[in-house]
Amino acid sequence: MTKTLDRRVRKTRAQLRTGLAKLMQEKSVREITVKELVDAVDINRSTFYLHYSDIYQMLDSIEAELEAEIMEAIQTHPLNPVDKDTSPFVEQFFIILEENQDICRALLGPHGDMTFVANIEKIIAENVMNKDVSLSNKNVLDIAYASAFCLSGCVGLIKTWLNGTLKESPHHMAELTHTLITHTTREFVVRAAIITQ
Amino acid sequence: MTKTLDRRVRKTRAQLRTGLAKLMQEKSVREITVKELVDAVDINRSTFYLHYSDIYQMLDSIEAELEAEIMEAIQTHPLNPVDKDTSPFVEQFFIILEENQDICRALLGPHGDMTFVANIEKIIAENVMNKDVSLSNKNVLDIAYASAFCLSGCVGLIKTWLNGTLKESPHHMAELTHTLITHTTREFVVRAAIITQ
DNA sequence: TCTATTACTAGACATGATGTTGATTTTCTT
DNA sequence: AAGAAAATCAACATCATGTCTAGTAATAGA
């Protein structure tokens, strides 16, 4: 299944990836040319095309790898331990972000890719929100807004963490995530219930 | 100061703007060429260059206009009425979004521009958060995370609203914004205070 | 260590979007 | 109605693009 890649391939792709992450800190993807990227990391232009068809397909490919890694973490880490305030998956999620911090910072930064953000939000929505928070089905509409609020809120949390010194541990961040989600949503639901009485 | 633009200019720019918003629903800005855009709205390519230097500068220009409109709303609408649960500015903010819904949907959508999102967040941070929520200065660090959570959360709220039927009034959304921010932050601060005792 | 395989490099090529210019026509303002 | 401003049209050099072929270097496996 997981065929081991040639060392040269690993090296080349890693160089390209690092170079792209760096360029994305400076400018929009649109302004980044293949020529510019390969010049920056000193790789032949032909070599780029052996791996990717263009910059955008390269980004898609990297994003797909990250998302696959996250999805795999879901399989191997329990989502809902009844005795804890946080799930091992969420913690693992932050670990993955930390391991790929350069490209994640780029993807979530000002010149980042909102498709990636949307995918991340979707993963969180399906694997953290619903399981983690028990939503009543009253005020369905405003609760949908509250969910969206939390969802984007989590992304903001991640961005802030990645752009800081990363001194908080993944475990601490997982707890913080849990705290913010439950407080925001539960409090909101309670208040909504009172109002509609 | 505000010189009235020639009708032809208004018409051309509106066409280009509408066309760009439509194309951005389908594909990434990177894949949108000047040629493609002018063909779509049946305008000569030379004409495009009379107004903008390239697609990206066009986006910047549109974003700057939106941001200017929002900043102006700050000047003309009170931020902090003591007697109300919401500020007229926030409501006006939603009205502006609604008036420019096509381009805003595009800018905040999957093929959107994270620079714009960042700018919007900055405006909210400086004009809503600090004024609206009284943050204690204990747990400065985690509170920074809570602020980031709310900030991105507001963007999520807006995105959900724009992508729905917009049946909620700007006033209702302003109240919802206030509710979510205060509850999330205050509850978090209270809990943090208890924990650190 | 040797060998077959695979990845990378180098150079050339046609293609097409780009950005610019100058001449002309259309449309607006007053 | 007349002058001003904007939009059109055609032509141009430029440059990144994507593709190819032949040659070189590095790797994995025996």
Side-chain angles (χ1 to χ4, degrees):
Chain A
M1 196 70 203
T2 315
K3 45 187 163 188
T4 309
L5 287 171
D6 192 304
R7 180 195 298 166
R8 289 168 294 181
V9 175
R10 288 198 306 272
K11 193 176 157 190
T12 299
R13 292 193 184 165
Q15 277 181 281
L16 287 172
R17 179 168 153 164
T18 304
L20 184 60
K22 189 168 290 180
L23 285 176
M24 282 181 72
Q25 296 291 349
E26 302 164 17
K27 58 171 74 176
S28 158
V29 184
R30 167 164 228 276
E31 302 167 288
I32 299 174
T33 66
V34 173
K35 179 172 162 45
E36 186 179 16
L37 174 57
V38 297
D39 284 351
V41 296
D42 197 32
I43 279 185
N44 194 280
R45 196 163 62 85
S46 296
T47 305
F48 176 91
Y49 289 108
L50 289 177
H51 296 274
Y52 310 107
S53 59
D54 58 36
I55 297 276
Y56 239 78
Q57 189 269 319
M58 176 184 172
L59 252 190
D60 286 346
S61 177
I62 292 175
E63 290 173 13
E65 284 174 33
L66 284 172
E67 288 159 20
E69 197 175 346
I70 294 169
M71 294 306 284
E72 197 202 322
I74 294 175
Q75 308 299 328
T76 52
H77 295 265
L79 286 170
N80 249 347
V82 279
D83 56 331
K84 293 276 287 179
D85 261 0
T86 175
S87 84
F89 160 64
V90 177
E91 188 173 340
Q92 184 62 25
F93 186 90
F94 277 96
I95 290 174
I96 293 173
L97 289 172
E98 191 172 34
E99 284 170 352
N100 300 277
Q101 53 180 286
D102 57 340
I103 194 70
C104 285
R105 232 193 311 269
L107 289 171
L108 298 177
H111 304 299
D113 180 6
M114 294 188 71
T115 305
F116 180 69
V117 176
N119 289 341
I120 293 294
E121 285 189 3
K122 197 178 174 195
I123 290 175
I124 297 175
E126 291 171 355
N127 297 289
V128 181
M129 296 287 294
N130 299 353
K131 320 262 179 178
D132 204 51
V133 179
S134 58
L135 292 176
S136 86
N137 48 7
K138 341 171 190 172
N139 294 68
V140 180
L141 215 118
D142 275 356
I143 286 173
Y145 282 120
S147 291
F149 185 90
C150 286
L151 218 47
S152 291
C154 288
V155 176
L157 198 66
I158 292 168
K159 286 201 288 194
T160 306
W161 184 59
L162 284 175
N163 287 314
T165 55
L166 269 72
K167 59 184 268 192
E168 290 80 25
S169 68
H171 181 72
H172 179 78
M173 294 308 292
E175 283 184 338
L176 199 50
T177 302
H178 179 270
T179 303
L180 284 166
I181 290 179
T182 50
H183 274 235
T184 302
T185 322
R186 195 175 53 200
E187 270 305 312
F188 181 77
V189 170
V190 168
R191 186 186 171 101
I194 294 170
I195 290 173
T196 53
Q197 273 177 353
Chain B
M1 197 66 204
T2 314
K3 45 186 163 189
T4 309
L5 287 172
D6 193 304
R7 179 195 298 168
R8 291 167 295 182
V9 174
R10 288 199 307 271
K11 193 177 156 191
T12 298
R13 291 192 184 166
Q15 278 180 279
L16 287 173
R17 179 168 153 164
T18 303
L20 184 60
K22 190 167 290 180
L23 285 176
M24 281 181 72
Q25 297 291 348
E26 302 163 17
K27 57 172 73 178
S28 158
V29 185
R30 166 164 230 275
E31 302 167 288
I32 299 173
T33 66
V34 173
K35 179 172 163 43
E36 186 179 17
L37 173 58
V38 295
D39 284 352
V41 296
D42 196 32
I43 279 185
N44 194 280
R45 196 162 62 85
S46 295
T47 306
F48 176 90
Y49 289 108
L50 289 177
H51 296 274
Y52 310 107
S53 58
D54 58 36
I55 297 275
Y56 241 77
Q57 189 269 319
M58 177 183 171
L59 254 190
D60 286 346
S61 177
I62 291 174
E63 291 174 13
E65 284 173 33
L66 284 173
E67 288 159 22
E69 197 175 344
I70 294 168
M71 294 305 285
E72 197 203 323
I74 293 175
Q75 308 299 328
T76 52
H77 295 266
L79 287 170
N80 251 347
V82 279
D83 57 332
K84 291 277 286 180
D85 261 358
T86 175
S87 84
F89 160 65
V90 177
E91 188 173 338
Q92 183 62 25
F93 186 89
F94 278 96
I95 290 174
I96 293 173
L97 289 172
E98 191 172 34
E99 283 170 353
N100 299 277
Q101 52 179 285
D102 57 340
I103 195 71
C104 285
R105 232 191 312 267
L107 288 171
L108 298 177
H111 304 298
D113 181 6
M114 295 188 69
T115 306
F116 180 69
V117 176
N119 289 341
I120 294 294
E121 285 189 5
K122 197 178 174 195
I123 290 175
I124 297 175
E126 291 171 355
N127 298 289
V128 181
M129 297 287 295
N130 300 353
K131 320 264 178 174
D132 204 50
V133 179
S134 58
L135 292 176
S136 84
N137 48 8
K138 344 169 188 173
N139 294 66
V140 182
L141 215 116
D142 276 355
I143 286 174
Y145 282 119
S147 291
F149 185 90
C150 285
L151 218 46
S152 291
C154 288
V155 176
L157 198 66
I158 292 168
K159 285 201 289 193
T160 305
W161 184 60
L162 283 176
N163 286 314
T165 56
L166 269 71
K167 60 184 267 190
E168 289 81 24
S169 69
H171 181 70
H172 179 79
M173 294 309 293
E175 283 184 337
L176 199 50
T177 302
H178 180 269
T179 303
L180 284 166
I181 290 179
T182 48
H183 274 234
T184 302
T185 322
R186 194 176 52 200
E187 270 306 311
F188 180 78
V189 171
V190 167
R191 186 187 170 101
I194 293 171
I195 290 173
T196 53
Q197 273 178 355

